[in-house]
Amino acid sequence: AALATSDQYLRGVKVLVTAGGTRERLDPVRYLTNDSSGKMGTALANAAAAAGAKVTLITTAHQVTLPAVEVEKVETAEQMNAEVQARFDQTDIVLMAAAVADYRPREVASSKLKKTGDQGLTLDLVQNPDILAALGASKTHQFVAGFAAETNDLLQNAQAKLARKQADMLIANRVGKGLGFNRDDNAVTLLQPGQAPIELAQAPKLELAQQILRRIQEVRA
Ligand code: CTP
Ligand code: CA
């Protein structure tokens, strides 16, 4: 019922959404990841499809999607980057809701790492590509939106990311102590270059997704 909409405000629009935390492998049985559930990204994909968009969801998460959403499962940031890049030309709106791991192990061990003696272990990590920044730098007609989940200095950090990544919108949300990750509700602030911030009050993620998509379509129109 929450999805039923006769208003096809995204009819024919090609929307690409990423969701979930990427998993960065150490060995065949271990990986580094984060607390992202993929719920916000999945809500955006479902809301866009319900509004008539042609939606691709590139995700690490196991969340329920509408049949109309094309789902591409990935594990790592590098895989997500490749899938996003392959589709960017034929996309109108990109929503980078994924929590892309900032680092990955320099080497992925081909067999299970074993303990040696009683020493600790230092991991050697390298930085992952910044998918959103690359899209921002190369966009032509696309509307590119990112998310910023912050525990501190939310709006300052999010404004800085909006500029640094040349995004058209940054959706800022506070995380920590009962907020943000793996919840059905969220409250966000929409930041756009040269515009006053727009606050969206706490609501189910699906409702927020609809408000975000309507705002984007208004700006694009
Ligand atoms: N992002 C991305 N590729 C990365 C890291 C982040 O595309 N390697 C995207 C996220 O999907 C999100 C936005 O950039 O839409 C902001 O992510 P965030 O982690 O808040 O920003 P970072 O640039 O990684 O900065 P930091 O984690 O140091 O705050
Ligand atoms: Ca990060």
Side-chain angles (χ1 to χ4, degrees):
L3 272 173
T5 170
S6 55
D7 178 3
Q8 299 282 287
Y9 61 93
L10 291 175
R11 190 199 315 276
V13 178
K14 299 187 194 93
V15 176
L16 183 61
V17 186
T18 64
T22 65
R23 293 176 169 194
E24 309 297 333
R25 287 231 154 253
L26 279 160
D27 72 15
V29 294
R30 302 185 180 99
Y31 53 79
L32 305 174
T33 190
N34 58 65
D35 279 331
S36 171
S37 61
K39 282 181 180 171
M40 191 64 226
T42 304
L44 284 161
N46 284 336
K54 192 176 179 306
V55 183
T56 303
L57 175 64
I58 299 169
T59 184
T60 63
H62 303 265
Q63 302 279 349
V64 177
T65 52
L66 292 179
V69 175
E70 180 200 329
V71 178
E72 189 72 52
K73 295 298 280 289
V74 294
E75 183 170 278
T76 68
E78 288 186 303
Q79 289 165 359
M80 183 172 279
N81 189 36
E83 296 293 345
V84 169
Q85 285 294 336
R87 290 170 174 81
F88 189 49
D89 277 355
Q90 303 97 287
T91 297
D92 299 312
I93 300 172
V94 183
L95 297 145
M96 280 294 306
V100 182
D102 292 330
Y103 305 98
R104 68 177 182 276
R106 186 183 296 278
E107 311 276 359
V108 183
S110 56
S111 54
K112 191 184 161 197
L113 296 167
K114 303 300 288 180
K115 281 185 294 191
T116 48
D118 55 6
Q119 298 299 327
L121 174 70
T122 302
L123 296 176
D124 186 8
L125 306 177
V126 295
Q127 206 169 117
N128 273 324
D130 190 320
I131 303 171
L132 178 60
L135 300 180
S138 68
K139 68 185 151 96
T140 51
H141 63 286
Q142 297 91 342
F143 187 98
V144 174
F147 280 74
E150 309 279 354
T151 55
N152 304 98
D153 304 322
L154 175 67
L155 291 188
Q156 295 93 309
N157 282 326
Q159 280 290 359
K161 281 172 191 169
L162 176 70
R164 179 157 50 83
K165 299 177 189 246
Q166 298 176 65
D168 299 299
M169 179 181 284
L170 232 291
I171 300 152
N173 75 284
R174 205 172 292 285
V175 290
K177 50 181 170 54
L179 292 164
F181 285 163
N182 201 21
R183 297 180 64 86
D184 294 317
D185 276 33
N186 206 354
V188 301
T189 305
L190 310 187
L191 303 178
Q192 295 169 253
Q195 304 272 320
I198 300 172
E199 301 221 14
L200 303 184
Q202 182 164 343
K205 285 182 174 174
L206 193 57
E207 258 171 53
L208 286 177
Q210 289 169 331
Q211 292 179 52
I212 291 165
L213 289 165
R214 279 192 189 276
R215 173 68 192 163
I216 289 174
Q217 192 54 357
E218 260 172 50
V219 174
R220 271 172 21 95

